[in-house]
Amino acid sequence: MGIFLPLALWSLVKRRNYAAPLALVAGIGLQLLATVADPRYAETPRLDSMQPLSVIYGFILQAVGSIWEPDARTMALNIVTFGGFAVVVPSIIVLGLLAYITIYGRAPLKVAALYAAGAAAACWAAATVLNPSPEFDFANFSRDDWLSGFTFFRYAVTPSMFLLALVPMACAVAEDRGIIGRNRARYLAPVLMAVFLSTSYFEATPARQTGPEWTTGVRAAAAQCAADPSLTEAVIAVTPATWQVAVPCRVLSGR
C-alpha cells in the first residue's frame, strides 16, 4: 500500500483529489495499528537467516520468471538442467523494456518505468526479508530442494504486475517515436498484455487444495475447550501442513 503513496500525492497536488489519498493513508495507518496491536511474530524474526543472494535469485525466479514460465515444476526442472540460463530470456526482455523506456521515453514515462521496476524489487525484498523462511533461501537449494521444494509464491504477484506495466509503457514510447501508428498502439498494448497473461491460464496446483477442513477443526477445538475448562485456547490445523491457528476458547464457545 505504501508504494502507492507517491501516486496519491500526485493526485492530491495535481488533481486536488482528497478522498482517495486520505483513504490510502487511513488504510496504511490501520494496518500499522493492527500490526502493533497484534504482532504477527511472538519474537522478532532473524533478518539474517537467509543469504542476501537468495532475495535476488528469488526476484528473478519468481517475479520475472513466473511471467515467462507459469508452471513451477517446469521452472524447477529447467533450473536443475540449465542453471541460471533458464531465466535469461525473461530477464533480457524485462531489462530491454526498461532500457528502451528510460532511454527513448518522455520524462513521465521514464519516471513511471523506473518507479515500477523499483516497486517490484521493493515488494519482493520486503515480503521475503520480513518473512524469512527456508523456502526462500534459493541460494542454498540442493537438487532435491529444487525438485521437491520449489514453488511460486503469492509474494511474486504484485512485483510481476509492476513489471508487466512496462509493456504498455514501451508501446507508448514506440508510438511517440512514430514506430507504430496511433491506431495500432491502441490495440498493440492490450494484445501484448493478453499474450503475457495467457501463459498463466493453465491448471494450477494450489498448496491449500488439500488438507484439514476448517469446520471440522473448529468443532474439534470447541469440544476440546468444553472438555477442559482450564484451556484458554485451542489449536486448529490448516494447510500448508506446518501451519496452525490458535483460537480463544471464548470465541469457540460463543461467550
Side-chain angles (χ1 to χ4, degrees):
M1 292 171 62
I3 285 174
F4 289 98
L5 279 174
L7 182 61
L9 182 62
W10 178 85
S11 179
L12 186 67
V13 173
K14 293 293 186 179
R15 296 187 173 183
R16 296 294 189 269
N17 177 6
Y18 299 98
L22 288 176
L24 179 63
V25 171
I28 294 174
L30 290 172
Q31 180 63 65
L32 292 174
L33 179 63
T35 302
V36 172
D38 189 8
R40 182 173 184 179
Y41 300 102
E43 57 184 31
T44 304
R46 287 185 53 194
L47 302 185
D48 60 346
S49 59
M50 291 193 310
Q51 284 195 24
L53 277 177
S54 292
V55 179
I56 300 174
Y57 290 168
F59 178 74
I60 297 172
L61 287 164
Q62 301 272 332
V64 179
S66 62
I67 299 174
W68 184 261
E69 174 49 69
D71 183 72
R73 178 165 177 79
T74 301
M75 174 65 79
L77 289 171
N78 288 340
I79 292 293
V80 170
T81 306
F82 304 109
F85 290 103
V87 289
V88 166
V89 172
S91 299
I92 290 176
I93 292 175
V94 170
L95 290 174
L97 289 172
L98 181 61
Y100 178 69
I101 298 167
T102 54
I103 293 173
Y104 299 108
R106 292 176 284 114
L109 287 172
K110 291 180 180 181
V111 172
L114 292 172
Y115 193 83
C123 278
W124 174 259
T128 53
V129 170
L130 296 177
N131 297 278
S133 170
E135 297 172 310
F136 301 139
D137 200 9
F138 302 108
N140 290 321
F141 266 26
S142 64
R143 186 178 186 276
D144 289 340
D145 290 331
W146 285 112
L147 295 178
S148 61
F150 180 78
T151 188
F152 289 133
F153 296 96
R154 65 183 185 276
Y155 298 139
V157 174
T158 300
S160 295
M161 293 170 66
F162 275 113
L163 295 179
L164 278 172
L166 297 175
V167 176
M169 290 184 207
C171 290
V173 174
E175 180 184 342
D176 289 341
R177 293 176 58 81
I179 298 174
I180 55 177
R182 181 175 297 275
N183 290 332
R184 291 184 179 180
R186 184 180 305 172
Y187 302 107
L188 183 58
V191 168
L192 290 176
M193 291 290 289
V195 170
F196 272 111
L197 294 176
S198 65
T199 61
S200 299
Y201 285 90
F202 293 98
E203 183 178 357
T205 54
R208 292 175 174 82
Q209 68 179 355
T210 58
E213 291 287 338
W214 175 253
T215 52
T216 303
V218 169
R219 287 195 293 268
Q224 186 179 1
C225 289
D228 187 354
S230 65
L231 287 180
T232 58
E233 62 181 23
V235 173
I236 302 175
V238 294
T239 52
T242 57
W243 290 27
Q244 58 187 20
V245 177
V247 181
C249 286
R250 58 180 176 79
V251 174
L252 292 167
S253 63
R255 295 196 301 269

Short mmCIF file of all heavy atoms in Angstrom, two decimals, residues 25-26 56 81 167 194 253:
data_model
loop_
_atom_site.label_atom_id
_atom_site.label_comp_id
_atom_site.label_asym_id
_atom_site.label_seq_id
_atom_site.Cartn_x
_atom_site.Cartn_y
_atom_site.Cartn_z
N VAL A 25 -4.03 6.71 3.10
CA VAL A 25 -3.30 6.97 4.35
C VAL A 25 -4.01 6.32 5.54
O VAL A 25 -3.38 5.74 6.43
CB VAL A 25 -3.15 8.49 4.56
CG1 VAL A 25 -2.58 8.79 5.95
CG2 VAL A 25 -2.24 9.08 3.49
N ALA A 26 -5.34 6.40 5.55
CA ALA A 26 -6.11 5.77 6.63
C ALA A 26 -5.89 4.26 6.63
O ALA A 26 -5.73 3.64 7.69
CB ALA A 26 -7.59 6.10 6.48
N ILE A 56 17.79 -11.84 -4.29
CA ILE A 56 17.98 -11.50 -5.71
C ILE A 56 17.55 -12.66 -6.59
O ILE A 56 16.82 -12.48 -7.58
CB ILE A 56 19.45 -11.13 -5.97
CG1 ILE A 56 19.84 -9.92 -5.11
CG2 ILE A 56 19.68 -10.85 -7.44
CD1 ILE A 56 21.30 -9.57 -5.19
N THR A 81 18.41 -28.42 -14.92
CA THR A 81 19.02 -28.84 -16.18
C THR A 81 19.94 -27.77 -16.76
O THR A 81 21.06 -28.07 -17.19
CB THR A 81 17.93 -29.18 -17.21
OG1 THR A 81 17.04 -30.15 -16.65
CG2 THR A 81 18.56 -29.74 -18.49
N VAL A 167 5.18 -3.14 -20.41
CA VAL A 167 4.73 -3.45 -21.77
C VAL A 167 3.93 -2.29 -22.38
O VAL A 167 4.29 -1.78 -23.44
CB VAL A 167 3.92 -4.76 -21.80
CG1 VAL A 167 3.39 -5.03 -23.20
CG2 VAL A 167 4.79 -5.93 -21.33
N ALA A 194 -2.29 -9.47 -23.22
CA ALA A 194 -3.07 -10.70 -23.26
C ALA A 194 -2.18 -11.91 -23.53
O ALA A 194 -2.38 -12.99 -22.96
CB ALA A 194 -4.15 -10.59 -24.33
N SER A 253 -16.66 -21.01 22.06
CA SER A 253 -17.87 -21.31 22.82
C SER A 253 -18.96 -20.28 22.60
O SER A 253 -20.11 -20.48 23.02
CB SER A 253 -17.54 -21.38 24.32
OG SER A 253 -17.06 -20.13 24.79
#
